[in-house]
Amino acid sequence: MSKDVKSVERSPKIPQRNDPQHVNDRTFFINASNQSLTAIPLEIFAFTELEEVHLENNQIEEIPQEIQRLKNIRVLYLDKNNLRSLCPALGLLSSLESLDLSYNPIFSSSLLVVSFLRALRELRLYQTNLKEIPVIICKNLHHLELLGLTGNHLKCLPKEIANQTKLREIYLKRNQFEAFPQELCALYNLEIVDLDENKIGAIPEEIGHLTRLQKFFVASNNLRVLPASLSQCSRLSVLDLSHNLLHSIPNSLAELREMTEIGLSGNRLEKVPRLICSWTSLHLLYLRNTGLRRLRGSFRRLINLRCLDLSQNHLDHCPPQICALKNLEVLALDDNKIGQLPSELGSLSKLKILGITGNEFLSFPEEVFSLESLEKLYIGQDQGSKLTYVPEHIGKLQSLKELYIENNHLEYLPMSLGSMPNLEVLDCRHNLLKQLPDAICQAQALKELLLEDNLLTHLPENLDSLVNIKVLTLMDNPMEEPPKEVCAEGNEAIWQYLKEKRERNIMATKIQAWWRGTMVRKGFGKFSELIKARKKGKASPKDKKGKKDVKEIPGKKNKK
């Protein structure tokens, strides 16, 4: 489900003074990320009008005092470096609005300098081993709109967090909260709250005070019930409650008319909550592993659904209500007990991704061939009934890009795979394939061909014509052509072997053709006749002709 994303614009490493794009030496943006830098290049500080600097994903160990020269800097990204302390000069950047220090082993005491950045609007401290938030940061920074603290060791928030009245987004995922931070309920401007992967057992009724809340993430906690007051968060559109201990959700939540995305996977629901079918604005619905055996008849009302996850349930058939969801693009039915798909499946004309792995199909479900827009099909059978063949009709799926048919009992593949112009990934691992069809060499879009753990001994002679192949796996096959030792060396060695073998075969064919032509030109007759004669032990036509000549000219043998 959607979370905080930091967009990083791409730009030249360090602009040069003769760069025509930077008139009069006025440079406002520098991107020096991912350069394996151990220190900030000092020449950066010569560009005093800089407003945005990206230095993330390097090995920088300290921030030099010269940083104070960047009086106009508004955005500074230093995440994923080796910073342990922050120099006092950093606190002099009075225009700084966005600072990212995530994934650095920073000493907590060193963070005090951040409290001097009074203009700061975005502060990201993901995974910095924080055990508590310095109180002075909460006291001094009054303009924060985003606070990122994911992946730390926080158990509570300081009461001074109430000063952050402008805060719109707070990210507290993967910390150690056992109780919902009550202080958050006073921050009325909050729009996004992320508390995934903590140990929270309850949400207070005061959550209803957050009337501007739009996205609420509390997945992977210990929630058993939800407060009815959550319905007062009238702008709520995204709610992730996955992997908790819920048996139901309050009917009062039906008042949330703007819901577009809800995650309920991994709860103990056993049936679809009735109120969900009233959320006709839903786009994404996750009901994975919730004990479902059927769907409500009113489920067909969710006509705006684009993504539906019903995997790991107890469905013994594909609910026909699904076929009414005309806008569905992603459907996951994996790991159920489904034995047949409905004939109306073709009405899902926008479906692009279908997952039906681990079910009880006795044969390949040909109903999928009516899905003309399908791009990804998952029908591997790590559990459930094993498929023994894939019909040639799979060639009808001309839009298909990825086909996953691993963990079955397939002995051969259909030739029609070669006529699928968009096929990029073919996963046939853990089957009983003895050979590949030569037609596979025509699937020119293939990038990944996964074949390990089969019974293959040979590869098609022209397989190296698949010039876009990036991944080819052949482990655990009794390979002879190419030999196992060649296969172990990777794609280039395999391609070289196939090329050399093909050249040898071409040369052998040319030699054979030349020899046959020579035999005919010398009067030995057709090559086929020569072979027949030799098999019967008779002389060749030329041998007979020679004997006849000797009879007609007696004494010729003794003439000198």
Side-chain angles (χ1 to χ4, degrees):
M1 300 181 73
S2 54
K3 296 290 177 75
D4 175 37
V5 178
K6 181 180 68 180
S7 177
V8 180
E9 183 184 349
R10 295 301 170 193
S11 182
K13 298 177 186 176
I14 299 179
Q16 301 300 313
R17 291 186 178 272
N18 58 359
D19 189 338
Q21 296 180 2
H22 302 274
V23 182
N24 299 325
D25 296 334
R26 298 182 67 188
T27 301
F28 301 100
F29 179 95
I30 283 181
N31 181 5
S33 60
N34 304 294
Q35 302 298 319
S36 300
L37 301 174
T38 56
I40 300 177
L42 294 179
E43 56 262 44
I44 285 180
F45 304 123
F47 300 99
T48 55
E49 296 193 32
L50 272 176
E51 294 184 1
E52 186 166 346
V53 177
H54 290 256
L55 290 160
E56 64 266 31
N57 202 23
N58 284 293
Q59 288 130 41
I60 297 169
E61 297 184 356
E62 64 178 1
I63 302 172
Q65 293 292 331
E66 288 83 352
I67 193 79
Q68 61 188 300
R69 296 180 190 171
L70 305 180
K71 298 293 186 182
N72 297 304
I73 192 167
R74 294 185 301 105
V75 178
L76 177 59
Y77 290 153
L78 282 161
D79 48 303
K80 297 179 182 175
N81 279 284
N82 296 324
L83 297 173
R84 293 185 176 275
S85 61
L86 305 176
C87 70
L90 182 66
L92 301 176
L93 303 180
S94 58
S95 299
L96 195 61
E97 297 179 1
S98 181
L99 174 63
D100 193 343
L101 296 169
S102 305
Y103 305 99
N104 280 288
I106 299 175
F107 298 126
S108 297
S109 58
S110 185
L111 287 173
L112 298 179
V113 69
V114 174
S115 65
F116 293 98
L117 302 172
R118 302 300 179 93
L120 211 57
R121 295 177 182 272
E122 297 183 358
L123 175 60
R124 293 178 175 87
L125 296 168
Y126 302 136
Q127 210 159 313
T128 49
N129 291 318
L130 272 181
K131 293 184 178 179
E132 60 182 10
I133 303 172
V135 172
I136 194 170
I137 287 181
C138 297
K139 284 184 175 181
N140 291 3
L141 304 183
H142 301 294
H143 298 286
L144 277 183
E145 296 178 8
L146 182 152
L147 180 57
L149 297 164
T150 291
N152 285 291
H153 307 289
L154 303 175
K155 294 183 178 181
C156 61
L157 297 179
K159 63 180 185 298
E160 289 80 4
I161 195 81
N163 293 334
Q164 304 304 319
T165 56
K166 295 183 179 180
L167 199 63
R168 294 186 300 105
E169 304 177 30
I170 187 165
Y171 299 92
L172 298 166
K173 179 178 180 178
R174 287 199 307 275
N175 277 282
Q176 297 177 19
F177 291 97
E178 295 183 2
F180 188 95
Q182 192 86 23
E183 297 81 6
L184 294 182
C185 298
L187 304 179
Y188 302 137
N189 285 306
L190 275 177
E191 297 175 3
I192 300 176
V193 174
D194 183 359
L195 279 159
D196 282 354
E197 298 181 46
N198 280 281
K199 302 173 184 178
I200 298 170
I203 297 173
E205 288 288 340
E206 289 81 359
I207 191 73
H209 296 166
L210 302 181
T211 55
R212 297 189 179 185
L213 191 63
Q214 297 176 19
K215 299 180 181 181
F216 188 27
F217 302 99
V218 279
S220 300
N221 279 282
N222 298 323
L223 299 176
R224 294 181 179 274
V225 294
L226 295 178
S229 61
L230 191 61
S231 62
Q232 298 170 25
C233 304
S234 57
R235 298 186 186 182
L236 196 62
S237 62
V238 177
L239 177 59
D240 192 355
L241 300 164
S242 303
H243 307 293
N244 277 284
L245 306 173
L246 300 171
H247 288 276
S248 63
I249 55 179
N251 290 329
S252 62
L253 298 193
E255 299 175 21
L256 301 174
R257 296 298 180 184
E258 297 185 20
M259 288 295 298
T260 60
E261 181 176 345
I262 183 165
L264 290 165
S265 298
N267 283 287
R268 304 170 181 177
L269 299 178
E270 296 187 359
K271 57 183 178 181
V272 178
R274 189 182 302 276
L275 68 94
I276 284 182
C277 299
S278 68
W279 287 337
T280 54
S281 58
L282 272 183
H283 290 166
L284 292 85
L285 175 56
Y286 302 94
L287 291 166
R288 181 187 186 95
N289 187 24
T290 48
L292 300 181
R293 296 183 181 276
R294 61 186 64 85
L295 298 184
R296 295 182 181 275
S298 55
F299 200 87
R300 63 180 69 249
R301 296 177 187 170
L302 303 177
I303 56 175
N304 289 305
L305 266 188
R306 296 201 305 265
C307 176
L308 174 60
D309 187 353
L310 293 170
S311 54
Q312 293 184 12
N313 280 292
H314 306 298
L315 302 173
D316 56 10
H317 67 284
C318 178
Q321 299 94 312
I322 291 175
C323 298
L325 310 179
K326 307 296 185 182
N327 290 300
L328 208 58
E329 297 178 7
V330 179
L331 175 59
L333 294 167
D334 308 278
D335 301 324
N336 279 281
K337 299 177 181 179
I338 298 171
Q340 188 174 359
L341 297 178
S343 57
E344 303 85 3
L345 194 68
S347 63
L348 301 178
S349 58
K350 296 182 180 180
L351 198 66
K352 295 181 179 180
I353 301 175
L354 175 61
I356 47 177
T357 66
N359 279 286
E360 301 294 335
F361 299 110
L362 297 179
S363 60
F364 196 97
E366 299 200 15
E367 292 82 4
V368 302
F369 300 148
S370 60
L371 300 171
E372 296 181 357
S373 297
L374 201 63
E375 295 181 1
K376 297 181 182 181
L377 175 59
Y378 298 84
I379 193 167
Q381 297 293 89
D382 52 332
Q383 61 184 31
S385 301
K386 304 289 186 181
L387 302 175
T388 57
Y389 75 97
V390 177
E392 288 288 345
H393 291 319
I394 198 166
K396 292 181 179 180
L397 300 177
Q398 290 288 288
S399 298
L400 200 67
K401 294 180 179 179
E402 300 180 18
L403 176 59
Y404 298 88
I405 47 177
E406 74 282 7
N407 291 300
N408 280 291
H409 287 166
L410 304 177
E411 295 185 5
Y412 62 90
L413 297 176
M415 295 178 61
S416 57
L417 290 176
S419 62
M420 300 174 72
N422 296 299
L423 191 62
E424 297 179 358
V425 178
L426 179 57
D427 186 350
C428 303
R429 296 171 298 156
H430 315 300
N431 275 286
L432 304 174
L433 298 176
K434 295 181 180 179
Q435 64 179 26
L436 298 179
D438 289 337
I440 198 72
C441 302
Q442 299 169 19
Q444 288 297 308
L446 265 181
K447 296 179 181 178
E448 296 184 23
L449 182 56
L450 311 179
L451 298 165
E452 64 246 42
D453 190 22
N454 277 281
L455 302 175
L456 296 172
T457 57
H458 295 71
L459 294 179
E461 188 178 74
N462 295 317
L463 193 66
D464 60 321
S465 65
L466 299 176
V467 294
N468 292 310
I469 285 278
K470 298 288 186 284
V471 179
L472 173 64
T473 60
L474 290 164
M475 296 83 77
D476 298 320
N477 279 282
M479 292 300 300
E480 297 175 4
E481 295 285 340
K484 288 183 179 181
E485 56 270 21
V486 173
C487 295
E489 295 179 18
N491 288 13
E492 291 188 12
I494 294 172
W495 277 190
Q496 185 63 28
Y497 183 93
L498 293 175
K499 180 181 178 181
E500 291 176 357
K501 181 184 176 183
R502 186 168 58 252
E503 290 175 350
R504 288 195 302 269
N505 289 343
I506 291 173
M507 182 58 68
T509 301
K510 287 182 178 179
I511 292 173
Q512 191 176 51
W514 170 82
W515 181 69
R516 289 178 177 179
T518 301
M519 296 292 285
V520 171
R521 285 195 301 274
K522 289 189 175 182
F524 286 93
K526 292 183 179 180
F527 182 76
S528 56
E529 291 179 2
L530 178 65
I531 296 299
K532 288 180 182 178
R534 287 184 174 176
K535 284 183 178 179
K536 293 180 180 179
K538 296 180 180 180
S540 69
K542 188 170 182 180
D543 291 340
K544 291 180 180 178
K545 183 178 178 181
K547 290 179 180 178
K548 186 177 180 181
D549 289 345
V550 170
K551 282 184 178 180
E552 290 178 353
I553 309 176
K556 186 175 181 181
K557 184 169 61 173
N558 299 323
K559 189 175 180 180
K560 294 183 179 179

